[in-house]
Amino acid sequence: MSPQTGAVRPSPAAESLTDEELARGLVAGDEDCLAAAYHRWSPLVHSLARRSLGDAKEAEDVTQEVFLGVWRGRRGFRPERGTIGGWIVGITRRGIADALSARTRRLRLVAAAGSSLVLAEPAARKPETTLDRVLVLHELARLPAPQQRVLRLTYYEDLTQTQIARRTGWPLGTVKSHARRGLHQLRSRLQEDEQADHYT
């Protein structure tokens, strides 16, 4: 069973448990202890994720994934190896690393697509490939200037987000936010265009 931890309020009894007692209940499958663990540690998990990812929505997603991981992996907790809080922080760090890896994969995928469209030899281009390239460049040009700049530096100059932050003078969190929002808008607009083509 996977309870919706964000919507569950722990009982006063569970809230008053020590970390050790809470850990024992959690390992035994007590959902009230999971709710108490979420109530106790989710602010820390969210704070760590927000600081690393620079995005509140991604931090919320990571927080939910962490506590789903806590529930699913509860039998793997070993008190002799450390505290329940330390175990949850370890799961959080892995969740953040996974989120960053997923983001990097998305950026590389879009960058590879953009680069192949831009760098392809004209003679080798099929008509639909040329159309795709024009469409991507058109939608990219419609983005707000900061998002456009971050995506162009990512795709066409192959800069990391840290390098972009140095180049622009913007905080790393701002760069990450612009990249995420820009990709989201670009993807949404391209999907809208694709759906429109489908119905014409």
Side-chain angles (χ1 to χ4, degrees), residues 2-11 14-15 17-19 22-23 25-26 30-47 49 56-71 84-85 87-89 91-92:
S2 297
Q4 295 296 314
T5 52
V8 176
R9 181 79 183 180
S11 69
E15 280 193 288
L17 293 174
T18 66
D19 289 357
L22 192 151
L26 182 62
D30 186 334
E31 292 182 15
D32 204 24
C33 287
L34 174 62
Y38 184 90
H39 183 68
R40 193 171 298 182
W41 284 292
S42 63
L44 173 62
V45 170
H46 187 273
S47 175
K57 179 66 175 71
E58 277 189 294
E60 288 170 15
D61 292 344
V62 166
T63 301
Q64 292 300 318
E65 286 299 319
V66 164
F67 284 93
L68 285 172
V70 166
W71 181 249
I84 185 77
W87 182 66
I88 290 172
V89 167
I91 294 173
T92 302

Side-chain angles (χ1 to χ4, degrees), residues 19-149:
D19 289 357
E20 292 77 14
E21 292 168 334
L22 192 151
R24 282 196 294 274
L26 182 62
V27 171
D30 186 334
E31 292 182 15
D32 204 24
C33 287
L34 174 62
Y38 184 90
H39 183 68
R40 193 171 298 182
W41 284 292
S42 63
L44 173 62
V45 170
H46 187 273
S47 175
L48 290 170
R50 175 93 188 248
R51 193 180 312 146
S52 297
L53 299 169
D55 185 277
K57 179 66 175 71
E58 277 189 294
E60 288 170 15
D61 292 344
V62 166
T63 301
Q64 292 300 318
E65 286 299 319
V66 164
F67 284 93
L68 285 172
V70 166
W71 181 249
R72 291 172 181 150
R74 63 190 182 278
R75 291 184 183 86
F77 172 67
R78 297 288 178 269
E80 65 272 13
R81 294 181 185 170
T83 65
I84 185 77
W87 182 66
I88 290 172
V89 167
I91 294 173
T92 302
R93 295 193 190 287
R94 289 192 292 278
I96 291 168
D98 288 346
L100 288 170
S101 294
R103 180 190 287 173
T104 300
R105 283 194 299 274
R106 287 195 304 270
L107 286 171
R108 283 179 181 163
L109 188 62
V110 175
S115 296
S116 65
L117 290 172
V118 170
L119 299 177
E121 289 297 324
R125 291 182 191 145
K126 296 179 182 178
E128 61 269 23
T129 303
T130 302
L131 186 60
D132 286 344
R133 180 177 66 86
V134 170
L135 184 60
V136 169
L137 291 174
H138 172 71
E139 294 299 346
L140 186 60
R142 291 176 59 197
L143 293 176
Q147 295 173 16
Q148 188 180 147
R149 186 176 184 194

Side-chain angles (χ1 to χ4, degrees), residues 131 192-200:
L131 186 60
E192 286 170 10
D193 290 336
E194 184 178 338
Q195 288 169 358
D197 288 344
H198 179 74
Y199 291 109
T200 54

